[in-house]
Amino acid sequence: VCSEESKPKLLLIDDSVDVHRLLGARLKHEPVEVISVCSAPEAFEALKGAAPAVILLDLDMPGTDGFEVLRRLKDEPALSNIPVVVLSGLAGSEDKVAAIDLGAIDYVTKPFDMPELRARLRSALRLNRLLTLLAERAEVDGLTGLANRANFNKSWPARVAEADRYGQPLSIAVLDLDHFKRINDTYGHPAGDEVLQAFARVIAKEVRKTDVACRLGGEEFVVILGNTEPEDAKLLAERIRTGIGSLTFARHPDHQVTVSIGIAGRPAKGPVIAPEQWFEMADKNLYAAKTGGRNRVVCTTVGQGGGGAAGAGAGAGVGPAKKAA
Ligand SMILES: [Mg+2]
C-alpha cells in the first residue's frame, strides 16, 4: 500500500549551491522529497534520520569527497543498500568505474541531461523498492540476520495458538539495550551497529532451534521461547544479559553495554491469554526492569500476580516501555 503523504526521500549531496538550486527546481514534479546537503559531515548527520530511498552524490567535494562517502556508506550495514547515483563532473571514465566499483549503481555526468537524470533516478527508486520488498519477504533483519518484525508478527500468534492447543508452556522475552542512543550519539552509528550485531550474536548463541529470535527495530529485540516454563526462560535471559555485559568493544572499551529484559511466561496448561495481551505483559516487565535500574531481568508468570510487573516493585499503571531507554 502506497501512502500519499510520505514520498520517498532523495538525499542530494553536492558542494555546489547551483546544483542544489537546479535539481531542486527540476525535480519538483518527481515523486520524491529532496533533502539537500552540501558536505559529507552534513550528509552523515542527515542519514541518522529515516533512510533515504536514493542518494545523489557528487564525487568532487572539498574535504571528504564522494569516493570516501561511498566507502563509508558501504561500510555501514544499515546504509549499504541505499542506491547511490554518482554525479560526476569529470569526462574521463576512470572515476565512474571507481565509483561503481565502490558500490554506486549508476552515474550522471555534469552538465545534466535532465530527462536522463530523471530516468536514472526512477530506475534507482525501482531498485530501492525491490530491495525493500525482498527484505520484507525474507523476513530477515538486514543488520543482524535475526528474524524481523514481520516474522514476529506472524510467528507469535501462531506459537501461542500452538501452545494453547497442546497445553505446552511458552514464554516470551522482550529485550532492550540500555541507553543505546548514547552509544550512537557518543561513538557514532557504526559503533551502534556493531553493538546491535554483537548483541544479536549473543542472543543467537543462547537460543535453541525451536526458539524465534527477532529484532523488532532499533535496539529492541524479542525472543519466543517455545515449550519453555517462565523460570527456564529467566535462566536463558540471564545468560543473554551476562553475555552482552561481558563483551568489550574496540571502539569504546570503557563503555559497558547492558540490556534490560522483560519476560512473561505461561506454564503447561496455564490460562489462555491473547497474544497481544501476553506481549504487553512482557513489555510491561521490560519497563519495570528499566525503572528498576536496568541491566536486569523481570519475569512474571501468566495468570499469577495480576499480570505485568509483579515482583518488580513498579506496581500497576506503568506505561509502555517505548519511553524508557
Ligand atoms: Mg562538487
Side-chain angles (χ1 to χ4, degrees):
V1 181
C2 230
S3 66
E4 286 297 318
E5 68 275 15
S6 68
K7 289 191 209 172
K9 292 182 172 56
L10 178 157
L11 179 63
L12 171 61
I13 312 170
D14 198 306
D15 62 305
S16 157
V17 178
D18 292 338
V19 167
H20 286 286
R21 199 175 298 136
L22 174 75
L23 292 187
R26 296 297 180 82
L27 295 175
K28 209 160 55 188
H29 299 297
E30 293 297 306
V32 288
E33 177 194 337
V34 179
I35 298 162
S36 294
V37 297
C38 295
S39 69
E42 278 178 52
F44 283 98
E45 192 57 39
L47 285 164
K48 286 180 183 174
V54 59
I55 294 175
L56 286 183
L57 172 65
D58 182 27
L59 287 179
D60 185 26
M61 294 188 289
T64 310
D65 67 7
F67 296 106
E68 184 54 28
V69 172
L70 259 177
R71 267 184 218 104
R72 283 167 56 182
L73 284 172
K74 296 305 160 186
D75 270 353
E76 292 196 32
L79 305 175
S80 63
N81 279 333
I82 303 170
V84 179
V85 177
V86 155
L87 306 175
S88 156
L90 311 153
S93 71
E94 282 160 44
D95 288 286
K96 294 167 190 162
V97 171
I100 286 170
D101 278 344
L102 281 172
I105 59 148
D106 209 345
Y107 64 85
V108 182
T109 312
K110 295 179 188 180
F112 305 124
D113 177 294
M114 279 315 294
E116 181 189 330
L117 175 69
R118 287 194 199 98
R120 291 187 190 276
L121 197 60
R122 285 194 292 269
S123 152
L125 287 167
R126 276 197 298 273
L127 178 65
N128 176 259
R129 276 198 298 276
L130 286 174
L131 288 173
T132 307
L133 196 65
L134 196 63
E136 283 168 7
R137 293 279 162 91
E139 297 188 359
V140 168
D141 174 56
L143 182 65
T144 62
L146 298 182
N148 64 10
R149 183 183 279 273
N151 183 306
F152 172 74
N153 288 343
K154 254 183 15 197
S155 301
W156 176 233
R159 297 301 286 268
V160 171
E162 189 186 42
D164 285 348
R165 184 171 175 194
Y166 298 108
Q168 288 172 340
L170 179 69
S171 295
I172 183 167
V174 186
L175 311 89
D176 191 283
L177 291 168
D178 297 326
H179 299 305
F180 180 74
K181 195 177 173 297
R182 282 189 202 161
I183 299 171
N184 274 338
D185 290 350
T186 313
Y187 309 105
H189 277 247
D193 286 350
E194 209 171 74
V195 167
L196 293 170
Q197 288 169 324
F199 184 52
R201 280 194 296 274
V202 170
I203 294 174
K205 182 170 158 271
E206 294 300 340
V207 296
R208 293 83 37 103
K209 288 236 176 342
T210 47
D211 299 333
V212 184
C214 311
R215 178 175 175 227
L216 290 186
E219 66 276 27
E220 195 181 3
F221 297 73
V222 61
V223 181
I224 303 170
L225 299 132
N227 210 354
T228 304
E229 299 276 347
E231 303 81 57
D232 296 324
K234 190 164 190 229
L235 290 177
L236 190 140
E238 281 293 352
R239 286 200 295 276
I240 292 174
R241 188 186 66 78
T242 49
I244 187 68
S246 66
L247 292 185
T248 308
F249 293 88
R251 291 180 200 260
H252 42 91
D254 299 325
H255 181 278
Q256 194 198 7
V257 178
T258 62
V259 65
S260 298
I261 303 176
I263 299 172
R266 186 181 66 184
K269 300 186 174 58
V272 169
I273 174 175
E276 304 78 34
Q277 208 185 334
W278 194 336
F279 175 80
E280 207 173 288
M281 192 183 283
D283 206 37
K284 273 184 183 166
N285 284 342
L286 168 64
Y287 186 81
K290 292 281 186 190
T291 53
R294 298 182 174 80
N295 191 21
R296 67 194 59 213
V297 180
V298 174
C299 176
T300 51
T301 299
V302 172
Q304 280 176 21
V318 289
K322 304 289 172 287
K323 300 286 182 288

